[in-house]
Amino acid sequence: GNSVTQMEGPVTLSEEAFLTINCTYTATGYPSLFWYVQYPGEGLQLLLKATKADDKGSNKGFEATYRKETTSFHLEKGSVQVSDSAVYFCALSDLAYSGAGSYQLTFGKGTKLSVIP
Amino acid sequence: GAGVSQSPSNKVTEKGKDVELRCDPISGHTALYWYRQSLGQGLEFLIYFQGNSAPDKSGLPSDRFSAERTGGSVSTLTIQRTQQEDSAVYLCASSLRPPATTDTQYFGPGTRLTVL
């Protein structure tokens, strides 16, 4: 079956530090890849996505590149801010694994990021 | 426009009681999903609706869980005879059209269920 593995947290960084959150996946078919973010007290929000190999998703200074050869979709940001403190989830959607074409998302466990001033 | 809304935001119930959780998807979204977020299991898929039908119920953990959707819009997740292990945040998501792997799912704020 499908699975997503992302680095365990929590991760604590100082403001303006470089961020990498590793994500690797196993998929039956040819998935689309997503990063969702959950800010304290809020629901899940899409941060970025990539739908085919070598695509780069980007938003709010965050980037992730779909690497089919390494089955990875690592999240990076060059300079984090206190407002980036949140839980980040890597996820995939894969028709080959979806019952009745549901395209359900398979999530990693989440990585909690804390950015300190 | 309005996002996905869920009610109640918090629900505390006693073991053995039935609960109903409601989801209002984004207007015009045909696909609707329920997920569960718990400390031990992370985010898990429960059920998928396309219109009013549920072609994928593979994530429902037991026959105590059921869901329906009416008018291609509002969905209700019902948990009968609640158990303590049902305590979790229940998330609803919707997407615009008959889904594809590329589609974005938009999530509601969730209902936090606590079973005492």
Side-chain angles (χ1 to χ4, degrees):
Chain A
N2 290 359
S3 67
V4 175
T5 302
Q6 60 181 107
M7 62 188 288
E8 298 283 331
V11 174
T12 303
L13 294 174
S14 297
E15 207 165 21
E16 299 184 3
F18 184 85
L19 169 71
T20 301
I21 301 178
N22 289 337
C23 172
T24 57
Y25 68 89
T26 301
T28 307
Y30 196 162
S32 291
L33 302 173
F34 305 82
W35 277 99
Y36 279 84
V37 58
Q38 190 171 34
Y39 297 103
E42 299 185 16
L44 280 168
Q45 302 175 24
L46 178 70
L47 181 60
L48 53 84
K49 71 179 185 182
T51 60
K52 59 183 187 294
D54 300 325
D55 266 3
K56 178 184 286 188
S58 61
N59 187 25
K60 299 181 180 180
F62 290 89
E63 294 183 338
T65 301
Y66 187 166
R67 300 289 188 199
K68 194 167 189 294
E69 63 275 14
T70 55
T71 61
S72 65
F73 193 54
H74 304 322
L75 182 68
E76 296 183 336
K77 186 175 186 182
S79 177
V80 293
Q81 305 301 311
V82 172
S83 57
D84 295 325
S85 298
V87 181
Y88 292 82
F89 293 90
C90 186
L92 68 82
S93 174
D94 178 13
L95 171 60
Y97 185 64
S98 299
S102 70
Y103 300 97
Q104 61 183 267
L105 289 168
T106 300
F107 286 91
K109 296 287 189 187
T111 302
K112 184 176 181 179
L113 171 67
S114 297
V115 180
I116 54 178
Chain B
V4 177
S5 60
Q6 293 186 245
S7 61
S9 55
N10 279 285
K11 176 72 176 179
V12 179
T13 191
E14 294 179 349
K15 178 180 173 181
K17 301 281 190 183
D18 297 353
V19 295
E20 288 188 351
L21 312 179
R22 177 187 168 107
C23 171
D24 281 275
I26 294 171
S27 177
H29 280 197
T30 61
L32 186 147
Y33 303 79
W34 284 97
Y35 294 86
R36 178 168 71 173
Q37 185 175 22
S38 58
L39 279 175
Q41 301 300 320
L43 274 154
E44 306 170 281
F45 165 77
L46 297 177
I47 187 170
Y48 155 67
F49 286 91
Q50 181 57 41
N52 291 335
S53 64
D56 189 355
K57 305 179 184 179
S58 62
L60 294 178
S62 76
D63 58 7
R64 296 186 295 105
F65 287 71
S66 62
E68 65 175 11
R69 189 178 183 194
T70 55
S73 179
V74 172
S75 176
T76 303
L77 177 69
T78 301
I79 309 173
Q80 296 179 308
R81 305 181 301 282
T82 52
Q83 304 294 312
Q84 288 181 332
E85 62 262 28
D86 300 334
S87 296
V89 177
Y90 289 82
L91 297 171
C92 176
S94 67
S95 65
L96 179 58
R97 53 190 173 174
T101 56
T102 56
D103 280 355
T104 297
Q105 293 181 26
Y106 296 88
F107 283 80
T111 294
R112 181 176 296 278
L113 175 66
T114 303
V115 182
L116 301 177

